[in-house]
Amino acid sequence: MLNDMSGKINTAIIVAAGSGSRLASDTPKQFLKLKDVEILAYSVQAFLEHPQIDAVIVVTSADYLDHVIRHYPDCKVVPGGDTRQDSVFNGLEACSASTDNVLIHDAARPLIPSWVIDSCLSSLETCDGVAPAITPADSMVQIEDSGFRNLNRDSLRIVQTPQCFHLNILKAAHASGKVDTDEMGLVKQSNPQALLGFIEGAPETMKVTRPLDLEIIKNYLDAAEK
Ligand code: C5P
């Protein structure tokens, strides 16, 4: 791992403390295997191998702390919290004092191409925060009491991770007492002046949620090997 060419220190925080699984399994999805490799291992490897990432922190639940410490020796491992936001907070607390930028990534998204990380880091040279996002391919509607309303999909985005920020901006958002489901939402709520943007994401950075998602990603990996 080398320092960013801009001289910035970049720390990836992979949140892997969720307990839920809609995948008909007692094992949290980040610890299921995909082609004999744990889902968490894919994103850990992507960040460890990226030349501009200086450190990787994995946040996980008490039940999996020993497992992650044993199997991911190149990462710092810290316990998670009751919510995703609490888990991210613990990851931020574990960042080195020299960290300039943090990249918060869902362990449940195994496929993170290096060009997405490149693109996020170059955006942070001019923005306070950035996340990959993709335009929905399907028609989008909003369900209302009286029926539904069609939305203009060209103006909508599906927001992915890593959600990337200058460390001081994200720490201030956490200190604000606001609550949100992701970091972009939290920073926007707590700091309306923050310069936030989106870069084009990769469809394969989908979050593993349903059993079918595992099959889709497995087929993608098989095709990429050919
Ligand atoms: O539940 P969901 O798929 O939205 O979780 C997104 C990511 O946040 C997952 O990688 C999950 O492990 C993580 N998470 C966490 N701590 C929690 C809840 C979720 O690290 N308390």
Side-chain angles (χ1 to χ4, degrees):
M1 287 185 285
L2 300 170
N3 283 358
D4 186 352
M5 284 186 327
S6 64
K8 302 286 189 213
I9 302 292
N10 302 311
T11 297
I13 298 175
I14 303 180
V15 282
S19 58
S21 174
R22 280 168 272 180
L23 297 174
S25 158
D26 290 338
T27 307
K29 55 195 173 187
Q30 59 273 25
F31 298 110
L32 293 176
K33 297 248 170 109
L34 190 58
K35 288 173 71 71
D36 292 331
V37 175
E38 211 163 66
I39 286 179
L40 169 62
Y42 287 89
S43 55
V44 165
Q45 188 180 359
F47 284 105
L48 284 174
E49 284 180 353
H50 193 282
Q52 289 172 274
I53 298 296
D54 299 277
V56 178
I57 297 172
V58 178
V59 186
T60 195
S61 62
D63 288 347
Y64 282 87
L65 263 184
D66 287 346
H67 168 87
V68 176
I69 290 169
R70 197 158 4 104
H71 289 95
Y72 298 87
D74 296 326
C75 300
K76 187 167 184 178
V77 184
V78 297
D82 289 343
T83 66
R84 184 180 184 285
Q85 186 169 328
D86 294 336
S87 294
V88 171
F89 178 82
N90 291 357
L92 293 175
E93 291 294 293
C95 286
S96 68
S98 57
T99 295
D100 296 293
N101 298 318
V102 280
L103 300 84
I104 315 295
H105 187 67
D106 289 338
R109 298 180 192 271
L111 301 183
I112 170 73
S114 65
W115 63 262
V116 170
I117 301 173
D118 295 343
S119 195
C120 286
L121 289 174
S122 49
S123 291
L124 282 183
E125 287 169 26
T126 49
C127 288
D128 295 319
V130 63
I134 56 176
T135 306
D138 298 305
S139 290
M140 304 295 287
V141 297
Q142 182 167 316
I143 304 297
E144 296 176 338
D145 289 345
S146 55
F148 68 91
R149 189 163 67 90
N150 272 83
L151 302 175
N152 174 8
R153 69 178 171 213
D154 293 336
S155 69
L156 296 174
R157 296 292 180 273
I158 298 167
V159 182
Q160 304 174 324
T161 70
Q163 299 199 0
C164 311
F165 301 87
H166 299 161
L167 177 64
N168 56 351
I169 293 275
L170 189 54
K171 277 196 157 179
H174 275 262
S176 72
K178 305 272 191 216
V179 175
D180 218 314
T181 52
D182 74 353
E183 293 68 53
M184 289 295 270
L186 181 67
V187 172
K188 186 169 166 53
Q189 252 203 87
S190 62
N191 180 359
Q193 312 303 325
L195 276 176
L196 303 177
F198 294 98
I199 55 124
E200 190 64 34
E204 65 267 29
T205 308
M206 61 192 283
K207 181 157 65 173
V208 175
T209 308
R210 309 154 298 175
L212 176 64
D213 298 332
L214 285 171
E215 289 306 309
I216 293 171
I217 295 175
K218 185 173 166 301
N219 287 339
Y220 175 92
L221 290 170
D222 285 343
E225 275 170 14
K226 284 185 188 143

